[in-house]
C-alpha cells in the first residue's frame, strides 16, 4: 500500500490539475491564439543555465518564428570528454546502479533486466583542448579542433505532461527530471515546449512534436555541412584539414550562423541515435511522432473524469471522442500497423489511473513481436518520476536508471539509421 504522504500528494496532484483544467474551461470564450503559449505564468520555471555547475548545461531556443514552439537543450558534462582511443560508443556496457532497490520496482512484463554495476568508458573532466569554456563557467560552444576529439551523444526528445494545458519544458520539475535523465542516460536531452491547450487544440501539440523531430534532422544535415566546410580551405587557418591549435579557439562549429546550425548539437549530438520520451499526455505526443516517423520511412483510453476534461480542452469540440485517434492508440484501422512501430518501453505506476490502458497498449505491441516491456513501480502514482515533490523518491530515481538501461540497449547497438 502507498504511504500516507504518497496518498496525500496523489490527491493534491489530481486536485491541482483539475483546478487548472477548470480555469482553462472558464477562459475558453477567449479567441484562440495561433502563436500559442508553452508555459503558464502561475507555474514556477527554472532559468536556463549554460554552465556545468551541477554537471548539466542548459539553453533555450525558439525554433519556430510563427509559433511559440521552443526547446530546452540539456547537455551533460560527459560530452566534453573525448572518447578513449579505439573505443566504440555503440558497444558501451549498459549502466546499472547498485543503489537500485528491487523492492521499489516491479518488472512484471517483458524480459528481466540485467543487474550490474554502472560502468562507463568515458570520464567527466571538462578540461578538453578546443572547448570554448569561458572564465565565468558558461559554455559558449565548441571549437573545431580534431574531429576525433568530439564525443557524440544520443539525443532524447522529451515531451512533458500536464494534461495538455499546463507544464513546460522549463518548469522546475521538468528541468530537474531532464537533468537527471541527461546524466544517467548519458544523452543530450531536448525538452519540447509544445503549444498548450485550449489556446491551441489538437493537433497543435502533435504537429509541434513532429516539427521538432524534423528540426533535429535538419540540424544533423547542417552539422555535416559545417564539418565539410571546416575541413576545407579556410583562409590560412586550416593546415592539412585541421585547424592550428593557436587559432581553434576563434572558431565555432557553426558555419551557417547561430540562427541555423545549433553549436551544441552540431558538436555533441548524434541524431542517428534518437529516443522519444513522454510523460502522461507527453507519451501521446511521443507515440504520434513515432508513428509519423514510421509513416515517413516507406492510445491510451482515459478512464477518469479529469482525463475526459483534459481531452475536451485539447480536442476540437466537434471531434471530441475518447476513441479519437489522438486519445486511443488502439483504435482499429489507425495507421501505421503496430508491427512497424519501434521498440517501446512503457512505464506505469501501481496507483496510476491510466495503468490498465497503458499495459493493454504494450500487450498489443508484443502480440505483433515488437519489443515492448512494461515496468510497473510499486507505491507510485501518475507522473511519479516528474512531479516536483517526488523527484527524490526511490521510485523516481530508479525509473531514470531503468530508462537509461532501456535507451542504451538500442542507442548503443543500433546502426546509423534514425531510431525513435
Amino acid at each position: 500500500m502507498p504511504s500516507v504522504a504518497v496518498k496525500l500528494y496523489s490527491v493534491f496532484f489530481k486536485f491541482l490539475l483539475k483546478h487548472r483544467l477548470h480555469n482553462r474551461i472558464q477562459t475558453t470564450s477567449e479567441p484562440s491564439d495561433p502563436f500559442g503559449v508553452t508555459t503558464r505564468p502561475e507555474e514556477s520555471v527554472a532559468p536556463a543555465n549554460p554552465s556545468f555547475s551541477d554537471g548539466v548545461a542548459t539553453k533555450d531556443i525558439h525554433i519556430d518564428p510563427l509559433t511559440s514552439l521552443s526547446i530546452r537543450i540539456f547537455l551533460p558534462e560527459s560530452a566534453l570528454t573525448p572518447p578513449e582511443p579505439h573505443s566504440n560508443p555503440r558497444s558501451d556496457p549498459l549502466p546499472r546502479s547498485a543503489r537500485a532497490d528491487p523492492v521499489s520496482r516491479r518488472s512484471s512484463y517483458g524480459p528481466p533486466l540485467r543487474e550490474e554495476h554502472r560502468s562507463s568508458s568515458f570520464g567527466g573532466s571538462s578540461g578538453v583542448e578546443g572547448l570554448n569554456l569561458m572564465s565565468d563557467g558558461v559554455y559558449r560552444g565548441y571549437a573545431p579542433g580534431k574531429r576525433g576529439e568530439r564525443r557524440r551523444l544520443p539525443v532524447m526528445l522529451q515531451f512533458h505532461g500536464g494534461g495538455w494545458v499546463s507544464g513546460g519544458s522549463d518548469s522546475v520539475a521538468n528541468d530537474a527530471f531532464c537533468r537527471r535523465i541527461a546524466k544517467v542516460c548519458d544523452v543530450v536531452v531536448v525538452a519540447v515546449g509544445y503549444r498548450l491547450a485550449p489556446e491551441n487544440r489538437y493537433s497543435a501539440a502533435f504537429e509541434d512534436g513532429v516539427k521538432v523531430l524534423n528540426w533535429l534532422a535538419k540540424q544533423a544535415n547542417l552539422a555535416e555541412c559545417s564539418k565539410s566546410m571546416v575541413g576545407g580551405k579556410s583562409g590560412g587557418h586550416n593546415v592539412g584539414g585541421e585547424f592550428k591549435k593557436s587559432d581553434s579557439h576563434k572558431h565555432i562549429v557553426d558555419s551557417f550562423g547561430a540562427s541555423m546550425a545549433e553549436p551544441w548539437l552540431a558538436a555533441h549530438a548524434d541524431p542517428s541515435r534518437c529516443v522519444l520520451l513522454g510523460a502522461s499526455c507527453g507519451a501521446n505526443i511521443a507515440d504520434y511522432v513515432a508513428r509519423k516517423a514510421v509513416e515517413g520511412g516507406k492510445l491510451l483510453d482515459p478512464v477518469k473524469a479529469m482525463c475526459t476534461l483534459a481531452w475536451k480542452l485539447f480536442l476540437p469540440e466537434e471531434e471530441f471522442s475518447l476513441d479519437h485517434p489522438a486519445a486511443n492508440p488502439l483504435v482499429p484501422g489507425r495507421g501505421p500497423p503496430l508491427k512497424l512501430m519501434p521498440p517501446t518501453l512503457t512505464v506505469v505506476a501501481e496507483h496510476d489511473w491510466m495503468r490498465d490502458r497503458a499495459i493493454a497498449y504494450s500487450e498489443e505491441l508484443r502480440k505483433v513481436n515488437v519489443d515492448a516491456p512494461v515496468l510497473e513501480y510499486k507505491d507510485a502514482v501518475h507522473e511519479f518520476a516528474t512531479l516536483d515533490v517526488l523527484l527524490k523518491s526511490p521510485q523516481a530515481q530508479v525509473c531514470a536508471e531503468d530508462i537509461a538501461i532501456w535507451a542504451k540497449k538500442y542507442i548503443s547497438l543500433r546502426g546509423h539509421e534514425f531510431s525513435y
Side-chain angles (χ1 to χ4, degrees):
M1 292 295 293
S3 65
V4 175
V6 170
K7 285 183 177 180
L8 290 176
Y9 191 80
S10 177
V11 173
F12 171 75
F13 170 70
K14 288 186 281 189
F15 173 80
L16 180 62
L17 182 55
K18 185 176 182 179
H19 176 71
R20 291 175 178 173
L21 293 171
H22 277 297
N23 283 344
R24 299 275 74 82
I25 283 286
Q26 296 173 3
T27 60
T28 52
S29 58
E30 299 179 1
S32 61
D33 179 9
F35 188 76
V37 297
T38 58
T39 189
R40 301 293 179 190
E42 66 270 16
E43 293 199 38
S44 299
V45 298
N49 182 6
S51 69
F52 293 95
S53 56
D54 70 340
V56 178
T58 60
K59 69 159 65 172
D60 293 327
I61 303 176
H62 180 211
I63 67 172
D64 184 5
L66 301 179
T67 71
S68 59
L69 176 61
S70 61
I71 61 171
R72 171 165 289 189
I73 301 177
F74 296 79
L75 181 68
E77 190 174 15
S78 60
L80 306 188
T81 304
E84 294 180 354
H86 309 298
S87 66
N88 182 1
R90 295 183 183 277
S91 61
D92 289 346
L94 304 181
R96 185 61 188 160
S97 173
R99 295 182 289 104
D101 179 9
V103 176
S104 64
R105 186 192 74 252
R106 182 172 68 210
S107 179
S108 303
Y109 314 89
L113 296 174
R114 293 172 55 188
E115 298 288 336
E116 56 187 15
H117 294 288
R118 183 184 305 279
S119 59
S120 175
S121 57
F122 304 102
S125 172
S126 60
V128 180
E129 177 186 345
L131 294 181
N132 192 357
L133 197 58
M134 301 303 182
S135 58
D136 58 2
V138 174
Y139 186 52
R140 309 295 186 190
Y142 197 96
K146 297 180 181 179
R147 296 185 183 182
E149 291 179 350
R150 301 177 200 147
R151 184 176 176 217
R152 303 280 180 175
L153 299 180
V155 179
M156 184 173 288
L157 290 188
Q158 189 263 353
F159 304 95
H160 65 83
W164 305 111
V165 304
S166 62
S169 59
D170 57 353
S171 70
V172 172
N174 199 69
D175 182 86
F177 172 72
C178 289
R179 286 177 180 275
R180 173 179 288 169
I181 288 295
K183 290 179 182 178
V184 300
C185 292
D186 200 20
V187 298
V188 178
V189 176
V190 177
V192 181
Y194 55 85
R195 289 171 290 171
L196 301 177
E199 291 87 349
N200 289 272
R201 293 178 179 263
Y202 173 82
S203 58
F206 286 176
E207 294 172 351
D208 287 349
V210 174
K211 186 173 294 184
V212 172
L213 186 65
N214 292 334
W215 178 86
L216 180 62
K218 179 181 179 182
Q219 287 297 316
N221 292 333
L222 291 176
E224 289 300 314
C225 293
S226 296
K227 288 198 299 184
S228 298
M229 294 183 69
V230 168
K233 296 180 179 180
S234 182
H237 291 296
N238 187 289
V239 178
E242 296 178 1
F243 277 75
K244 296 180 180 179
K245 296 179 180 178
S246 60
D247 296 325
S248 63
H249 70 281
K250 301 177 183 178
H251 304 274
I252 301 298
V253 179
D254 188 7
S255 304
F256 290 84
S259 63
M260 295 187 69
E262 204 297 303
W264 287 16
L265 296 180
H268 301 297
D270 179 7
S272 69
R273 296 182 290 162
C274 182
V275 177
L276 302 186
L277 175 64
S280 190
C281 63
N284 289 82
I285 302 177
D287 171 76
Y288 179 87
V289 174
R291 288 175 180 270
K292 286 300 179 182
V294 170
E295 289 177 349
K298 51 168 190 178
L299 274 181
L300 307 184
D301 189 8
V303 295
K304 295 291 180 178
M306 185 173 62
C307 297
T308 302
L309 184 58
W311 285 111
K312 283 184 176 179
L313 287 169
F314 178 62
L315 295 173
E317 294 181 7
E318 64 278 8
E319 298 181 24
F320 173 73
S321 170
L322 297 185
D323 285 327
H324 188 286
N328 184 6
L330 299 180
V331 172
R334 185 188 183 201
L338 288 180
K339 65 180 180 180
L340 299 180
M341 291 296 287
T344 303
L345 171 66
T346 299
V347 170
V348 297
E350 184 180 14
H351 306 287
D352 191 336
W353 58 81
M354 300 182 186
R355 171 185 175 277
D356 293 340
R357 293 303 294 168
I359 293 175
Y361 178 54
S362 181
E363 289 175 346
E364 291 302 313
L365 288 173
R366 291 197 300 277
K367 287 180 181 178
V368 291
N369 297 320
V370 174
D371 187 6
V374 176
L375 294 183
E376 182 177 1
Y377 296 77
K378 293 182 179 179
D379 196 15
V381 297
H382 185 69
E383 281 203 68
F384 69 95
T386 58
L387 294 175
D388 47 4
V389 300
L390 297 180
L391 284 170
K392 295 183 179 180
S393 67
Q395 291 92 334
Q397 297 181 53
V398 172
C399 179
E401 295 169 354
D402 288 339
I403 291 174
I405 293 173
W406 171 256
K408 283 184 174 276
K409 175 182 178 181
Y410 286 96
I411 60 182
S412 296
L413 301 177
R414 298 191 70 161
H416 293 280
E417 77 277 12
F418 208 86
S419 53
Y420 311 108

